[in-house]
Amino acid sequence: MSGVEYLSPGSVAEAVRALQVDGARVMAGGTDLLVQMRIGRTKPKLVVDLKRIPGIAGIREEDGAFIIGAAASGAALGEHEALRKAWPGIVEAANLIGSTQIQGRASLGGNLCNASPAADSVPALIAAGATCVIVGPNGEREVPVEAIQVGPGKTTLANGEVLLAFRLPKRAAHTGDAYLRLIPRTEMDIAVVGAGVCVTLDASGKCIAARVSVGAVAPTALLVEAAGAALVGSSLDDAALTNLEAAVAAAARPISDKRGTAEYRTKVAAVLARRAALIARDRAQKDGAKA
Amino acid sequence: MSDGNQPPASLKVVGTRPIRPDGVDKVTGRAQFGADFHLPGMLTGRIKRSPHAHARIVKIDISAAEKRPGVKAVVTGADLDVGAGGDIEAGEHAAAMKDVAANCLASGKVFYQGHAVAAVAATSPEIAAEALDLIEVTYEVLPHVVDVDEAMAPGAPVLHDDMFTKGVTPKPTKASNVAQKHVMGRGDVAGAFAAAEVVVEGRYTTAAVHQGYIEPHACVAAWGADGQSTIWCSSQGQFLVRAMTARILNLPLSDIKVIPAEIGGGFGGKTTVYLEPVALALSRKCGRPVKLVMSREEVFLASGPTSGSSMDIRLAATKDGKITAAEMTLRYQAGAFAGSPVNLGCMTAFACYDVENLALVGYDVVSNRPKVAAYRAPGAPMAAFAVESAIDDLARKLKMDPIDLRILNAVKDGAKTVYGATVRYSAFIETLEAVKAHPHYKAKLGPGQARGVAAGFWFNIGGESSAAVHVDEDGGATVVSSNPDIGGSRASMAMMAAETLGLPIERVRCTVADTTSIGFSGSTGGSRVTFATGMAVVEAAQKVVADLRRRAAQTWECDIAHVEWKDGVATCLDPSKDAKPLSLKALAGKSAKTGGPIAAEVSLNAQGAAAGYGVHVCDLEIDPETGRTTILRYTAAQDVGRAIHPAYVEGQLQGGAAQGVGWALNEEYVYNSNGLLDNASFLDYRMPVASDLPMIDTILVEAKPNPRHPYGAKGVGEVPIVPPLAAVANAISAIVGQRMTSLPLSPAKVLAAMGGG
Ligand SMILES: Cc1cc2nc3c(=O)[nH]c(=O)nc-3n(C[C@H](O)[C@H](O)[C@H](O)COP(=O)(O)OP(=O)(O)OC[C@H]3O[C@@H](n4cnc5c(N)ncnc54)[C@H](O)[C@@H]3O)c2cc1C
């Protein structure tokens, strides 16, 4: 790690300027970046630490919508009562990352921009329909989360662009989300498969909207539109869930590696998607009961 | 939890649970581990390792590295001088020093990815890293083999062209990967099988697993200007490090002083050397102290593990469940050099059972993996996995309770083992009965849950140890131990000294000495320290007591026979004297006037280590859609002789069970098609984390204190890793509905067996 410079800008403009330098890298919590630097996988010349930029590590609620700073830690998300209530799936996904120590640092922005196919919070964010607020030398833009990752370690962020925040729309009534992952152990492990589901019911309990996203079964987290469509119009009965499973299995195109075989991942992706859908439905029903 | 046996009332300290003296420093990070030493002018060492599984070293060009400013020394295999080689006794195995040297720095060939080929010492870590890149090694890559059965197959790439299988006559004419064939047995096996009413059989495999100690190997070596060198390192034996380093660099033993650091776990894996001779060779070349510290990746690539195995087993029995014969073939991976613990696998396989007719064949097989190192009860867990699975098959076939079946076949004192020893002081049957009576064994299982039972055996060893007891002028005492404290031995040494001297435990401290400050000792291994070094401590304390009595007699001018020593106080039994009792404190305060300092050192070769037996019970359930296993309840029972410090004995049982569960469920070395390790990190080498396990309940069976130890101690550290593999697998097999024969039982494998995958 010789010859690395460190900068901790106090404004977005300063950060964007600093990132024009060749070999500059953004750092939020550093729980991916520092590990990669240590093993020599990446050798930045300049590390630009975002955490001093006002608001980037915070969480705001605006008329029922949430703006989550890209560098907000997993611990901060877990402690945010309102967010936890509104989007339990996102918070439980974020809180699965690492251990207590890692939770104090790890951010949603880092989880997404590190672009691991197995990143836990990404399927949950995609299922919830979150968008990304991005600034760069050419100004600001906003895109859905699923538009960021393009492959392992690769994103659509241009040189000098910084992810500032995630925006979660005001949640529709009777909506619930959930995230589940399979790891052989109980913690400190990387998802063999992950599945995030968000469903919205009508007053009668019929599903009127659903988004399903699975992780670790393709080069990026996948938004499986056919799986969501399989639920819409149903009360998440067995037939609908069978269709959801079939859609997930059809969309999955995993590799076989040390963490699991392709066959196993495909099977379990379908299982987890079904289980997450049922949890999301229960939450949506409870949401209705309270409303 | 204990089984309720109370230590004799006469014991005041032994059997209690004082807080271990090294505990606070270890949990607060103040303890000095191997990597914590710094010396003025110290250099950073780094090791250049092979990127290939198997290759001939055509050329090593170190000239560019040597020219790099800041690089002070570069060494290769040519800098080691192991002379005639020979073996060094390393506790539970003998180490062939030529191989140990070639494992420290390759000579001629590399045998596995990560095999050390050269080392540098430089003024900074960055320069050391650069220097590694400047060393140019030209390889001729050779075909490789990592699987034990493939390594034995005709046509397999042969690692060592001078390896002709030992133990077969006539000597083979062709070199092979089978280093040695071990044959053991007795009786008429064929006849017993012909007459058998029931036969069970199976083929079993286990994966290579790493000891997984928290602390990576680390040392500092300083070559002295007068030729006297010092090594600070974390190991299981300072004397072993001294002996191996001296042999590998062809130095006299007295020219090397080894100072043991605190050790962050070893489990057998630190009973050899990887770094110390290399660091000292570097220091010798440049005259400055050199530190070498492995990364976790290096630990996985180039240290440990224990053998993966493949085994065939057949049992013959009567329809009442009496096992009449057993036949077993064991094939163990040795890694790059000869020396798997397959002979120990053969010896322990049926050590729990009284089987009249036995035929065991073991093969020690090299392949392109790191050389195996000892791991808790080396060789026994794999063999027990096959044996205890087969016995579970038998119990199911005969619809017998698995504990009753084991009681029926259990060894009793007086029985002969297949390796010739006579069973003594054994409490295997008592241990089985303790489990049967335990609430766990009687508890009802929920739907979809199953219970597995398995047993295990380990010899435990004694051997050479030294210890000293010093009485301080203020009436306290210091114990000087010759063994690194891995499992709380400072506490148990101090307790045994306190008991013997009649002092409260708070007045006795224990320290671990370097190689120049105490007599020789074997390593902390083989579950020997509480037994053997403890015996030396007690004998030294007894000598001190004899000396104290002599001094009291001198003070009172009475016959020593009239001086009684009890609870740390000398009392005069001579009715003609009106002498007030003299406490240890009073005698210590006057030591200058009664003959000088009060101290004793004892060196001995402890005999009479008694074997231990364990029985484990595991309840678990499996997610039928993912194949993932959850351990619900776990109880480990063990014949422990007498527990000196029961809490640390329980800790040994719990730790062994946890490691065994990892071995059963998820741990394995994953190699790709190029023979390169795919999971050299704790992320993808999956040891259990705390939340993976329930609290492990323990039953300490103290029915048979070892009469050969002053306080009845038996070794306890290794037995508990022997039963868990089969305890877990037997429960999983019950749920799956078929015998699970291949470890680890990872979710994908279990799901496939359940028909879901
Ligand atoms: C012990 C351990 C356990 C872990 N367990 C898990 C787990 O269970 N699940 C899981 O998904 N991950 C896990 N991780 C990985 C890691 O913790 C997560 O991916 C985490 O969310 C990364 O966040 P961070 O803030 O630390 O990212 P950083 O390391 O700071 O950054 C990661 C990458 O994203 C880029 N980046 C960060 N923020 C921005 C931004 N705002 N704009 C543009 N680019 C940005 C960085 O340049 C870098 O390339 C684990 C890591 C460790 C060390």
Side-chain angles (χ1 to χ4, degrees), chain B residues 231-384:
Chain B
I231 297 172
W232 293 259
C233 68
S234 152
S235 81
Q236 287 178 242
Q238 62 274 43
F239 292 95
L240 183 77
V241 169
R242 183 180 68 163
M244 288 189 164
T245 305
R247 188 73 65 87
I248 289 171
L249 297 178
N250 197 7
L251 298 168
L253 290 173
S254 53
D255 279 3
I256 302 177
K257 170 176 171 177
V258 179
I259 303 178
E262 213 55 73
I263 169 169
F267 308 107
K270 292 177 185 168
T271 55
T272 186
V273 292
Y274 301 102
L275 302 178
E276 291 82 358
V278 179
L280 193 55
L282 286 165
S283 180
R284 173 170 66 182
K285 222 165 179 175
C286 62
R288 287 170 63 170
V290 176
K291 179 188 270 190
L292 273 175
V293 180
M294 282 197 196
S295 66
R296 181 61 59 185
E297 188 185 14
E298 289 178 292
V299 169
F300 275 114
L301 287 174
S303 79
T306 191
S307 313
S309 67
S310 105
M311 296 165 290
D312 291 293
I313 185 167
R314 230 150 69 91
L315 299 183
T318 66
K319 58 182 185 323
D320 313 324
K322 180 75 194 138
I323 302 169
T324 52
E327 203 175 50
M328 193 168 172
T329 305
L330 304 86
R331 295 165 288 263
Y332 281 20
Q333 295 160 359
F337 302 97
S340 78
V342 72
N343 55 326
L344 302 177
C346 293
M347 287 157 81
T348 56
F350 289 95
C352 285
Y353 305 106
D354 198 7
V355 181
E356 200 180 323
N357 305 292
L358 281 173
L360 293 140
V361 180
Y363 295 98
D364 179 24
V365 187
V366 296
S367 61
N368 296 111
R369 296 167 171 264
K371 164 77 172 75
V372 299
Y375 182 20
R376 265 183 136 147
M382 315 72 151

Side-chain angles (χ1 to χ4, degrees), chain B residues 483-498:
Chain B
N483 285 97
D485 177 359
I486 309 189
S489 62
R490 263 179 287 228
S492 51
M493 295 303 121
M495 288 170 76
M496 288 185 272

Side-chain angles (χ1 to χ4, degrees), chain B residues 406-480:
Chain B
R406 285 173 173 84
I407 290 175
L408 177 68
N409 290 288
V411 280
K412 297 182 191 69
D413 283 359
K416 269 257 181 278
T417 61
V418 71
Y419 53 93
T422 303
V423 177
R424 283 199 183 90
Y425 326 125
S426 68
F428 182 40
I429 292 179
E430 290 85 342
T431 306
L432 286 160
E433 282 167 349
V435 169
K436 213 177 162 193
H438 191 272
H440 180 174
Y441 198 65
K442 297 175 184 155
K444 264 215 151 65
L445 290 165
Q449 302 176 352
R451 178 166 296 151
V453 176
F457 163 92
W458 188 245
F459 314 92
N460 303 318
I461 60 171
E464 297 169 276
S465 274
S466 300
V469 174
H470 301 171
V471 172
D472 306 322
E473 308 90 276
D474 66 353
T478 301
V479 176
V480 185

Side-chain angles (χ1 to χ4, degrees), chain A residues 25-36 50 56 70-71 93 96-99 102 105-116 118-121 157 161-164 181 188-191, chain B residues 683:
Chain A
R25 276 293 284 279
V26 174
M27 181 174 89
T31 60
D32 277 318
L33 186 67
L34 295 180
V35 176
Q36 288 160 13
L50 301 179
I56 201 156
L96 282 175
I97 296 171
S99 57
I102 298 295
R105 288 285 181 195
S107 67
L108 294 185
N111 201 222
L112 177 63
C113 297
N114 183 58
S116 156
D120 277 308
S121 69
L157 293 189
E161 278 193 321
V162 178
L163 170 59
L164 270 190
R181 72 169 177 186
M188 298 305 287
D189 220 329
I190 292 289
Chain B
L683 176 56

Side-chain angles (χ1 to χ4, degrees), chain A residues 102-271:
Chain A
I102 298 295
Q103 280 290 305
R105 288 285 181 195
S107 67
L108 294 185
N111 201 222
L112 177 63
C113 297
N114 183 58
S116 156
D120 277 308
S121 69
V122 178
L125 287 164
I126 292 174
T131 55
C132 298
V133 181
I134 296 161
V135 282
N138 304 323
E140 195 173 303
R141 63 191 179 103
E142 187 162 346
V143 295
V145 169
E146 56 270 27
I148 299 294
Q149 296 185 337
V150 287
K154 293 204 176 67
T155 68
T156 50
L157 293 189
N159 253 348
E161 278 193 321
V162 178
L163 170 59
L164 270 190
F166 295 89
R167 198 194 301 273
L168 282 159
K170 181 173 160 55
R171 208 195 47 189
H174 312 301
T175 295
D177 73 333
Y179 175 77
L180 293 174
R181 72 169 177 186
L182 187 289
I183 55 173
R185 294 182 291 193
T186 46
E187 57 183 327
M188 298 305 287
D189 220 329
I190 292 289
V192 176
V193 177
V197 177
C198 182
V199 298
T200 302
L201 311 177
D202 67 12
S204 73
K206 206 168 72 185
C207 178
I208 51 172
R211 283 167 69 89
V212 176
S213 174
V214 283
V217 292
T220 67
L222 298 176
L223 171 64
V224 188
E225 283 170 356
L231 301 180
V232 174
S234 81
S235 58
L236 274 66
D237 48 83
D238 286 349
L241 291 168
T242 304
N243 290 340
L244 160 108
E245 289 197 52
V248 167
R253 41 192 161 87
I255 53 166
S256 290
D257 68 3
K258 61 197 169 194
R259 295 187 186 136
T261 61
E263 191 192 357
Y264 180 75
R265 285 184 151 130
T266 304
K267 282 227 150 74
V268 174
V271 169

